[in-house]
Amino acid sequence: MTTFKTKILPIITILLIFMFWYSSLSVSYLVMIVPMLFVLLVSYVEFKSNFLKQLGFSSSNFNKKSILIHAPLIAFTLFLIYYYVLLPLLTYITNQPIDYSDFDAVKGNPVSLIFLLLFVWVSAAFGEEIVWRGYFMKQFVKFFGEGKISMTINILLFGVLFGLMHSYQGITGQLLTGIIGMILSYIFYKKKYDLWLNVAIHGWFDTIAILALYFNLG
């Protein structure tokens, strides 16, 4: 039973999540929410009452200053690198503009802005970080350890896959998101798997990006 919970169940979980993503069931508003709920469930099965801590939500790491000050500053710096360095560089290399058309409805629309901000904090900030960093990365570490080669593969592999999941943004968007995913994975590793910080950085980053779209800032 222990082998099933610690080895077989995680592999089945990861396979089922990817099968869900590539199935007709994976509609846009469920694409991260369903996997997030599934991960929370199987994590509870494996770790019982300690499952949130195992994912990275340690109560000792919950710090208001980190979430409200450090995370926004990191997110803003990351957004500047994203927008002024990575975006023009990758657009030049691919010769393909990034596709933001899925977010056209938010431009100048305060109602859409509020709903989208709420959605990305639940689906992207919490959902993606719980699934990609809290579960995928941590399970990889459990199986293969924290050696330099292992962690390099861990960060690169899930960064690439994270980018591929954003195909609606075109090839430039996939490459950009993959790089951002790798940076978030590296932060998660260097900060001792503090998922509170990662969720906050991710949420603030997306908030800044959505506000830029809302105000049509290029």
Side-chain angles (χ1 to χ4, degrees):
M1 191 63 178
T2 301
T3 300
F4 174 79
K5 288 195 298 185
T6 61
K7 292 183 169 56
I8 299 174
L9 182 60
I11 294 172
I12 292 174
T13 298
I14 293 170
L15 290 175
L16 286 176
I17 288 174
F18 276 95
M19 287 173 63
F20 170 76
W21 279 334
Y22 287 100
S23 73
S24 58
L25 298 173
S26 184
V27 294
S28 59
Y29 58 88
L30 294 176
V31 70
M32 284 310 308
I33 294 175
V34 169
M36 174 183 67
L37 295 175
F38 189 41
V39 161
L40 291 173
L41 175 62
V42 296
S43 295
Y44 178 77
V45 171
E46 181 176 356
F47 301 109
K48 298 302 180 186
S49 60
N50 205 35
F51 77 106
L52 289 176
K53 183 177 181 180
Q54 289 296 325
L55 288 169
F57 290 123
S58 172
S59 58
S60 61
N61 287 331
F62 185 79
N63 185 300
K64 291 181 181 178
K65 183 178 180 181
S66 177
I67 292 171
L68 298 176
I69 298 177
H70 296 159
L73 288 174
I74 295 171
F76 184 67
T77 302
L78 191 56
F79 181 79
L80 292 178
I81 295 171
Y82 168 94
Y83 191 78
Y84 290 105
V85 179
L86 295 176
L87 179 58
L89 176 61
L90 291 174
T91 302
Y92 176 79
I93 292 172
T94 64
N95 198 31
Q96 295 289 330
I98 194 168
D99 185 359
Y100 289 130
S101 60
D102 276 23
F103 304 101
D104 283 347
V106 78
K107 294 179 180 178
N109 187 330
V111 176
S112 292
L113 173 66
I114 293 170
F115 277 105
L116 185 56
L117 286 174
L118 290 172
F119 181 76
V120 298
W121 271 94
V122 173
S123 179
F126 277 93
E128 290 182 352
E129 290 306 314
I130 286 172
V131 174
W132 287 96
R133 259 60 72 176
Y135 195 76
F136 288 177
M137 272 193 73
K138 290 290 292 292
Q139 288 294 334
F140 193 97
V141 168
K142 187 179 73 179
F143 278 95
F144 302 105
E146 289 186 302
K148 289 184 179 180
I149 294 177
S150 174
M151 289 309 303
T152 299
I153 294 172
N154 190 337
I155 291 169
L156 290 176
L157 173 63
F158 291 122
V160 170
L161 293 174
F162 185 70
L164 290 174
M165 288 303 301
H166 292 75
S167 58
Y168 63 91
Q169 294 181 15
I171 182 62
T172 301
Q174 287 179 296
L175 291 171
L176 265 171
T177 308
I179 293 171
I180 296 300
M182 292 177 197
I183 293 172
L184 288 170
S185 296
Y186 181 75
I187 291 172
F188 187 53
Y189 166 62
K190 293 301 289 184
K191 291 297 181 179
K192 308 297 183 184
Y193 308 114
D194 177 6
L195 202 58
W196 290 114
L197 178 63
N198 261 66
V199 166
I201 293 172
H202 197 147
W204 285 113
F205 178 90
D206 285 356
T207 297
I208 294 166
I210 290 168
L211 287 174
L213 288 169
Y214 174 77
F215 289 107
N216 200 21
L217 301 178

